């Protein structure tokens, strides 16, 4: 299922953008050429906008640097992080496609146990196009996969599943560890290929990593905000986690599915654990209050769009996490700004009458 | 981890019983000899008690037939099913060990992808001896396994985990399908070896299969009642499912863990789908009301032992599922009888002052 076969007609070619945040030349794309070249790329250049990012020949792409972001969003650009890969979510906002795949520029093509190159994007598309089963656990994993099904005792009324909003892929080689774990286990490498895709059950939170991630923009895009990180902010490396917690509670509320497992990419480079520790330490501390918050969040029935859910979540963040640190007041404001900017760019502004507070800037 | 290496000293040799329900000679044990011979077996003979079951030489076992069950339990023997593998739970009750492994007599030793025989029991013991993580999902699966850990974003306060009560193993070859799926896919075989063990999150129900199952009897034994099935009962093939739902809600209430995944056994023989359909059809129908019931069950704080939880659950079954069918009134009574019999045989009778109704027979 995760084989390297390149389809003659790449699936969803005109319905999917690949979003890549970067500060360097994109040589890593050479390795992905057989799989990515048919797709459109959205490159979000972080850091110094005067620097030129080289993109290998033959790729179809648009590139945004900080000047572009400021020009396009005006004062609302404040919601897009700078000097942090959280800036990638700007790419989600300017995409006009139904699906987004985002990947880090230190992620290479992994091999399956038979030695074949894994077409990660193809597997993500499979994951997104077939349903999820968040209400009951299937012990043989993805019941829709070839050779698998629902096991005895799985309620028949739940076998249609629900639409899949998110496909979270994994990493061989360098595992996605926090700084303390990196420091304690500097040599640990992930070599275990687990041949499974599964739905994360309703009501269960998970650590969503942004390194190898696909989602249905139409179903969940506005919740994929990567928060305020990096330059001028007290934390980093919690951008994807924040997006994952927000996304999961909204998916649970709206009856959408989140999958994790295949595909693997090969993560080449461990980031510096000392630098990471500095970025993470407040997050590690705050997280102990964030998780109970997200575990107990309840969204009112009237929240029937992602935008409405997200603005309601922002209100609750401000009210309940504002006490943890002033940062969360700022983050809650940025969450609202993000939705306003999303609606402006996506012509979904009509829905913004759900915004209770008007422009936050 | 799941290799065939036979330890010189089998782990938990004096703390684990293997429970096998059967109606035939136990030739299948020959294949398991390298792994099972050091352990004590409890054989529960179903059907005609005058029949002699042959056990291969060299195994240490005790065997109970229906006459033994009637003699030992007296009128309380009514809670033990007859002509159904649900009778196996009698073995759980008479065991005096801390751990139980139960396996069907049509389950053979499976091979891992490298071709080595899988020591299923050794893997179950590993699963039971290391903690579970029901409160948050770890995307790299069992964080305690060699070469794995908690990923970035996993709350540190949850990394100690909770004690593991149940280890649910899987099946290669014949998958555990219900009769309708067997009929639709008669040739489907499970050939996918998924190299993972994971915790089933708190609040999520799963279909627990009794074919290849281990548990900590001290932690959860009294909840492992396989219900009223087979002779004189309107359903079959829901014995392990019933036990699984009851066990999971009690584990969730008591803060205990349930794992699923490795080890695999090789399931040799598909049962007759036409016979199965007859046994299952009421269960398939009733199940649509059972699952919402178990999903919404709430046990009061005062229920701090498995026995108290189970008796409370029996009360709720009678009150809420009694309306679905008269069968559930009978089942609820049998659940109470089971606890009384358990306490009598295990000298835990003092706890039975929690029983509100006295003997049910």
């Amino acid at each position: 299922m995760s084989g390297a076969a390149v389809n003659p007609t790449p699936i969803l070619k005109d319905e999917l953008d690949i979003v890549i945040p970067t500060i360097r030349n994109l040589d890593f794309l050479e390795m992905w050429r057989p799989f990515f070249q048919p797709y459109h790329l959205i490159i979000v250049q972080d850091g110094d906008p005067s620097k030129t990012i080289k993109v290998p020949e033959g790729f179809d792409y648009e590139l945004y640097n900080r000047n572009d972001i400021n020009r396009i969003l005006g004062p609302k650009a404040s919601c897009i992080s700078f000097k942090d890969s959280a800036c990638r979510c700007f790419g989600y906002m300017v995409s006009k496609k139904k699906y987004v795949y985002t990947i880090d520029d230190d992620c290479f093509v992994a091999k399956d146990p038979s030695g074949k190159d894994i077409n990660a994007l193809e597997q993500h598309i499979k994951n997104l196009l077939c349903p999820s089963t968040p209400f009951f656990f299937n012990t043989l994993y993805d019941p829709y996969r070839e050779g698998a099904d629902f096991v005895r005792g799985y309620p028949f009324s739940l076998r249609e599943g629900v639409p899949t909003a998110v496909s979270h892929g994994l990493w061989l080689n360098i595992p996605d560890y926090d700084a303390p774990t990196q420091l304690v286990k500097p040599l640990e490498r992930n070599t275990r290929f687990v041949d499974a895709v599964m739905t994360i059950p309703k009501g269960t939170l998970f650590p969503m990593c942004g390194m190898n991630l696909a989602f249905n923009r139409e179903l969940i895009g506005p919740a994929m905000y990567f928060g305020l990180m990096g330059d001028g902010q007290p934390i980093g490396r919690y951008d994807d986690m924040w997006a994952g917690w927000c996304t999961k509670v909204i998916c649970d509320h709206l009856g959408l599915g989140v999958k994790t497992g295949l595909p693997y990419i090969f993560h080449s480079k461990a980031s510096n654990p000392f630098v990471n520790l500095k970025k993470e330490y407040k997050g590690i501390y705050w997280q102990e209050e964030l998780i109970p918050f997200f575990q107990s969040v309840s969204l009112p029935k009237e929240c029937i769009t992602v935008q409405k859910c997200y603005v309601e979540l922002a209100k609750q963040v401000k009210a309940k996490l504002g006490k943890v640190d002033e940062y969360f007041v700022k983050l809650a404001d940025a969450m609202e700004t993000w939705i306003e900017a999303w609606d402006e760019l996506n012509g979904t502004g009509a829905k913004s009458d759900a915004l209770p507070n008007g422009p936050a800037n």
Side-chain angles (χ1 to χ4, degrees), chain A:
Chain A
M1 305 289 287
S2 56
V6 182
N7 291 330
T9 311
I11 34 175
L12 303 183
K13 189 180 99 52
D14 300 317
E15 292 178 76
L16 184 144
D17 282 334
I18 299 176
V19 173
I20 303 166
T22 194
I23 50 169
R24 62 192 136 227
N25 295 336
L26 292 176
D27 305 323
F28 92 113
L29 284 173
E30 278 305 343
M31 199 180 187
W32 288 102
R33 192 182 288 277
F35 305 131
F36 288 180
Q37 193 161 351
Y39 293 89
H40 180 69
L41 311 182
I42 297 177
I43 298 161
V44 185
Q45 176 179 349
D46 197 20
D48 182 3
S50 70
K51 205 183 147 186
T52 302
I53 300 282
K54 282 191 203 141
V55 181
E57 292 242 326
F59 284 94
D60 167 42
Y61 70 94
E62 56 197 298
L63 184 149
Y64 299 91
N65 64 26
R66 190 69 209 183
N67 294 339
D68 300 316
I69 296 172
N70 289 340
R71 177 176 46 78
I72 292 166
L73 294 184
K76 296 196 179 73
S78 62
C79 74
I80 303 296
S81 297
F82 187 48
K83 295 192 178 168
D84 192 285
S85 73
C87 68
R88 76 174 84 209
C89 63
F90 178 76
Y92 311 158
M93 192 185 259
V94 295
S95 166
K96 294 288 167 282
K97 305 286 173 62
K98 184 169 179 185
Y99 301 96
V100 162
Y101 174 48
T102 184
I103 182 169
D104 280 5
D105 62 8
D106 63 346
C107 292
F108 298 147
V109 176
K111 288 185 185 299
D112 72 16
S114 77
K116 268 203 283 194
D117 281 353
I118 297 169
N119 184 345
L121 184 50
E122 184 183 41
Q123 179 68 46
H124 276 298
I125 290 169
K126 278 181 190 164
N127 294 349
L128 289 172
L129 293 184
C130 87
S132 292
T133 53
F135 306 122
F136 203 83
F137 191 93
N138 193 49
T139 51
L140 286 184
Y141 311 101
D142 182 358
Y144 305 108
R145 202 170 163 189
E146 211 183 303
D149 213 310
F150 292 97
V151 300
R152 179 171 58 91
Y154 202 103
F156 277 83
S157 61
L158 297 178
R159 294 191 186 196
E160 286 197 10
V162 302
T164 301
V166 178
S167 167
H168 178 260
L170 301 175
W171 342 276
L172 290 174
N173 196 41
I174 309 282
D176 187 31
Y177 288 163
D178 49 64
T181 308
Q182 279 183 298
L183 288 165
V184 171
K185 293 177 151 184
L187 300 178
E188 189 150 289
R189 297 295 176 264
N190 185 25
T191 58
R192 184 172 292 123
F193 182 94
V194 174
D195 188 13
V197 178
M198 75 193 61
T199 299
I200 300 179
K202 183 177 177 180
T204 301
L205 293 173
F206 78 115
M208 187 181 82
C209 170
M211 231 190 293
N212 172 27
L213 178 72
F215 57 92
N216 183 320
R217 227 183 129 260
E218 278 181 11
L219 286 179
I220 200 64
M224 276 288 174
Y225 175 48
F226 273 44
L228 293 176
M229 304 280 147
D231 197 44
Q233 307 302 340
I235 56 169
R237 282 169 62 81
Y238 273 88
D239 51 340
D240 42 5
M241 298 300 140
W242 182 262
W245 300 328
C246 294
T247 293
K248 186 60 166 58
V249 299
I250 292 174
C251 282
D252 284 350
H253 175 73
L254 295 176
L256 301 170
V258 175
K259 289 184 184 173
T260 184
L262 301 182
Y264 286 93
I265 52 80
F266 184 92
H267 185 208
S268 67
K269 215 183 44 175
S271 45
N272 184 319
F274 301 99
V275 173
N276 290 346
L277 192 59
K278 190 177 165 192
K279 291 178 180 172
E280 282 173 13
Y281 77 97
K282 285 195 176 169
I284 287 174
Y285 176 71
W286 289 339
Q287 189 180 347
E288 299 297 336
E289 306 208 41
L290 303 186
I291 298 307
F293 165 77
F294 281 105
Q295 282 174 335
S296 64
V297 154
S298 165
L299 298 171
K301 266 204 312 267
E302 305 78 69
C303 292
I304 51 168
T305 65
V306 178
Q307 277 93 331
K308 284 187 187 181
C309 290
Y310 202 75
V311 170
E312 169 65 25
L313 194 56
K315 274 203 284 187
Q316 296 190 25
V317 165
K318 187 178 276 187
K320 293 187 183 159
L321 297 179
K323 297 171 217 155
V324 174
D325 194 276
E326 181 65 20
Y327 168 73
F328 292 100
V329 175
K330 218 166 51 166
L331 179 55
D333 287 337
M335 290 168 74
E336 295 198 10
T337 306
W338 159 265
I339 292 294
E340 292 164 24
W342 182 283
D343 283 340
E344 255 179 50
L345 261 68
N346 287 277
T348 46
K351 283 173 190 155
S352 70
D353 58 4
L355 297 180
N357 299 330
N361 286 295

